[in-house]
Amino acid sequence: MTADDTFGRLDDDDFPAYTMGRAAEMLGTTQGFLRAIGEARLITPLRSAGGHRRYSRYQLRIAARARELVDHGTPIEAACRIIILEDQLEEAQRLNAEYRRSTESADPTAAA
């Protein structure tokens, strides 16, 4: 990937643009915290060619939510599980809404 390719993807939420050190600094946490939520499989950072962890903005938002829960006294494993369940609920709600829209458009009288 060239520098131009990297620069063009900086607005991509899934692009792994942040090193572990920079991610920890941005979140106001430690690198150990990032390793712990990785071990709990909340996020899986991509690896650079040299094997270093790289984080996307999307992953940083998830890590920030985990930190918020941990800061309020939730054990890290429980915080990770809560976030996973929140994500699953959001996806289920999205699928339900999509299903309702498709059935209503297929049968306009069903909405009445």
Side-chain angles (χ1 to χ4, degrees), residues 14-98:
D14 295 318
F15 181 68
Y18 303 98
T19 63
M20 177 181 271
R22 180 68 179 128
E25 180 182 313
M26 291 170 67
L27 295 169
T29 190
T30 64
Q31 293 181 14
F33 176 80
L34 291 173
R35 282 189 208 92
I37 62 174
E39 289 170 10
R41 297 179 188 229
L42 179 61
I43 58 174
T44 304
L46 294 173
R47 298 283 182 152
S48 68
H52 300 283
R53 290 175 180 90
R54 306 283 294 189
Y55 297 87
S56 69
R57 287 190 305 205
Y58 174 74
Q59 290 172 323
L60 294 183
R61 283 194 301 274
I62 292 171
R65 174 72 175 126
R67 178 162 187 244
E68 177 185 334
L69 290 169
V70 169
D71 286 351
H72 285 100
T74 306
I76 197 162
E77 297 82 12
C80 292
R81 185 68 182 140
I82 288 167
I83 294 166
I84 289 166
L85 290 170
E86 287 173 341
D87 187 56
Q88 289 173 345
L89 175 59
E90 184 179 318
E91 178 66 8
Q93 289 172 331
R94 185 192 65 76
L95 290 172
N96 284 340
E98 186 178 298

Side-chain angles (χ1 to χ4, degrees), residues 1-10 12 14-17 46 49 54:
M1 181 175 288
T2 67
D4 288 338
D5 292 338
T6 300
F7 183 73
R9 295 195 61 201
L10 289 178
D12 180 352
D14 295 318
F15 181 68
L46 294 173
R54 306 283 294 189

Side-chain angles (χ1 to χ4, degrees), residues 100-110:
R100 278 193 296 278
R101 281 191 302 275
S102 70
T103 56
E104 288 171 1
S105 65
D107 184 7
T109 60

